[in-house]
Amino acid sequence: LALQAAFNALIPDHSADAFSPPRLGSAGPWDALLERLLGGLGRWDAEHFLFIAERGYLLEHNCAFLPLFPLSLRALACLWPPQLRPRSRLLLSAALLNALLSVLAAAALYALGRAVLRRRGEAFLAALLFSLSPAGVFMAAAYSESTFAALAFSAMWQLEKGHSWLSGLLFSLASGARANGLINAGFFLYSRGRRFALQLQAAPASLRKLPLMWKQVLGLASSAALMCAGIFLPFALFQYYAYVRFCGPGTGLDQTVPEPLLQLARDKGYRVAGVDGAKPPWCSQRFPVVYSYIQDTYWNVGFLRYFELRQIPNFLLALPVTLLGSWAAWTYVSTNPRHCLTLGLERSESEEKGKPRDGFCGPAAFVYVVHATALLAFGFTCMHVQVLTRFLGSSSPILYWFPAHLLQEHEPLLWSAGTDNPTSGKPLLGKSPSSHGKGTPDNLVVRLLLNWRLITPLSKSILGFFLCYWLLGLILHCNFFPWT
């Protein structure tokens, strides 16, 4: 927060062609102070969320941003003094709410890591890396990333614990925060499918008869379909709301909209809700989905559309997270080729012995690797590539589990009692961490920072990547730059 306030004050903004609604009403001294302290959190997409929380879905392209986070801001803003302008109350609400939600997301990621990796130290390192992640810039800003990460990681954790209905509820809420929450239905489908496949392998021949199998398959399909429908429901309801608001008969709503906002809509070509005239093209589609229409029309999002020479700086900005995600997928596939070829539906030898492999390369991480790789491939080919960092950082635990795995495997300062032993066959050091310097054996961060000279180059690269990339993201978010 201190750094964004400093960058916001020191570096002048580029006049970017981004959504920036006029500030209505007179600003008091407290409004000016909040804008000076927290103004960097209200850039880019944050303008949409704050505008929606204040005025609802007034403009068509606002419908690309789902309602859970704006509704939360609007509810929380009621707690602040009415002397503040609505935007100031909403900005303060966003800063406090996202601070809380990012902590909950880190805690959920830690619990999920313990359940999947079954290595407490590695799960803790992943939670620390989440706190230092470049995506943390957007966890603090007035974006929906913190809301989504807290809900998605919590839902994954509950699913690992076997709490299917609670997990489904959390996944459903997550799909009301971000559209990529729809893909989380794959976790349910895979969980049910794998459980059924393993039961068939372990069941005696008498239980594999066709009538019994069909009964099991129908029960599995019905429960999976019900869960997936629940996950898709918030997104579908919002599409219906947008259809009623923009495709129904005019309500004369524009008569109550302040003139500066109407002038902005005329200048930029924004469609205003409740106005008579030609209906948007998406209204006449067989399945009117405003989200895909906005992505296509307003932001030119589509397959390979971003592959232009002038977008090279943005591809460079996304290169670190692209390489990290690709490296993680390759490491997992090369370590577990048979497990990947069988889609994890075959019981491994270690599982048959009752001692499945733990850590990042264990069988339990397979579905998370597939999820992260699918998001990476879709984001790189079909989206504005510079959003990959926050897109993956708020959706996939792999972005943190894999660097934690590398640190745990290759950093001798972490090979000690109280942390996990490496699986690469390297012998543990005979000395305790405290003998390497003044670090304490119980605090991984203090240990690494106080023994920086002794850290391996790979560990320095990982930590440096997270810190420098985070700082770059902070500067770019707080200040408009021509090439972003």
Side-chain angles (χ1 to χ4, degrees), residues 130-187:
F130 174 83
S131 303
L132 295 174
S133 166
V137 175
F138 304 97
M139 301 288 177
Y143 279 52
S144 59
E145 266 69 11
S146 287
T147 303
F148 184 78
L151 291 170
F153 293 160
S154 298
M156 295 172 190
W157 175 41
Q158 294 299 328
L159 187 61
E160 291 290 340
K161 291 169 62 179
H163 300 163
S164 298
W165 291 103
L166 179 56
S167 175
L169 175 61
L170 293 171
F171 273 137
S172 180
L173 290 173
S175 68
R178 290 186 59 82
N180 59 292
L182 300 177
I183 200 176
N184 289 332
F187 286 103

Side-chain angles (χ1 to χ4, degrees), residues 41-109:
L41 304 180
R43 306 294 193 199
W44 300 105
D45 289 355
E47 292 279 14
H48 288 275
F49 286 113
L50 296 173
F51 182 82
I52 294 166
E54 181 179 355
R55 298 189 176 275
Y57 288 91
L58 181 65
L59 305 175
E60 182 186 50
H61 70 308
N62 292 147
C63 293
F65 303 90
L66 300 188
L68 182 61
F69 181 62
L71 286 174
S72 303
L73 291 185
R74 189 161 190 162
L76 190 58
C78 299
L79 302 176
W80 311 123
Q83 289 79 9
L84 291 172
R85 286 195 306 183
R87 176 185 165 84
S88 299
R89 297 201 299 269
L90 293 168
L91 190 59
L92 180 59
S93 300
L96 295 177
L97 179 62
N98 281 349
L100 172 63
L101 290 174
S102 60
V103 171
L104 294 178
L109 179 63

Side-chain angles (χ1 to χ4, degrees), residues 184-405:
N184 289 332
F187 286 103
F188 267 108
L189 297 176
Y190 181 79
S191 174
R192 292 287 190 271
R194 186 172 190 271
R195 184 183 303 175
F196 178 67
L198 295 181
Q199 285 176 351
L200 282 181
Q201 295 173 43
S206 60
L207 296 179
R208 300 181 190 177
K209 295 181 179 179
L210 193 60
L212 290 176
M213 283 185 60
W214 271 112
K215 185 177 180 180
Q216 289 179 321
V217 169
L218 288 175
L220 174 70
S222 59
S223 64
L226 187 61
M227 285 293 185
C228 291
I231 293 174
F232 278 73
L233 183 61
F235 183 82
L237 288 177
F238 180 69
Q239 301 310 302
Y240 176 74
Y241 165 80
Y243 180 85
V244 171
R245 191 162 178 82
F246 288 92
C247 301
T251 59
L253 181 63
D254 57 319
Q255 302 300 322
T256 62
V257 178
E259 179 58 31
L261 290 179
L262 290 176
Q263 186 60 46
L264 174 70
R266 287 191 288 267
D267 293 342
K268 296 289 187 178
Y270 300 150
R271 186 172 282 111
V272 181
V275 177
D276 288 315
K279 301 303 178 187
W282 60 272
C283 294
S284 57
Q285 295 175 354
R286 185 174 183 180
F287 297 102
V289 178
V290 66
Y291 181 83
S292 57
Y293 171 80
I294 292 170
Q295 296 287 347
D296 175 39
T297 304
Y298 286 88
W299 290 303
N300 194 33
V301 172
F303 183 64
L304 300 184
R305 291 188 188 178
Y306 219 55
F307 283 66
E308 301 174 343
L309 288 178
R310 64 191 181 95
Q311 301 298 346
I312 288 178
N314 286 321
F315 276 92
L316 292 176
L317 188 63
L319 185 62
V321 72
T322 303
L323 294 177
L324 185 63
S326 303
W327 186 11
W330 172 254
T331 299
Y332 190 88
V333 171
S334 60
T335 305
N336 306 282
R338 181 178 179 83
H339 187 75
C340 295
L341 286 174
T342 59
L343 302 180
L345 301 179
E346 181 183 75
R347 192 181 297 273
S348 63
E349 294 182 3
S350 59
E351 287 179 301
E352 291 177 354
K353 296 177 181 178
K355 295 181 179 179
R357 182 174 181 174
D358 57 7
F360 170 76
C361 293
F366 171 75
V367 66
Y368 298 95
V369 174
V370 173
H371 173 250
T373 306
L375 290 180
L376 176 61
F378 176 79
F380 192 80
T381 57
C382 300
M383 296 173 58
H384 290 185
V385 74
Q386 68 268 27
V387 309
L388 265 182
T389 302
R390 62 185 176 93
F391 181 62
L392 286 172
S394 62
S395 307
S396 173
I398 293 298
L399 206 64
Y400 312 106
W401 286 350
F402 180 60
H405 161 76

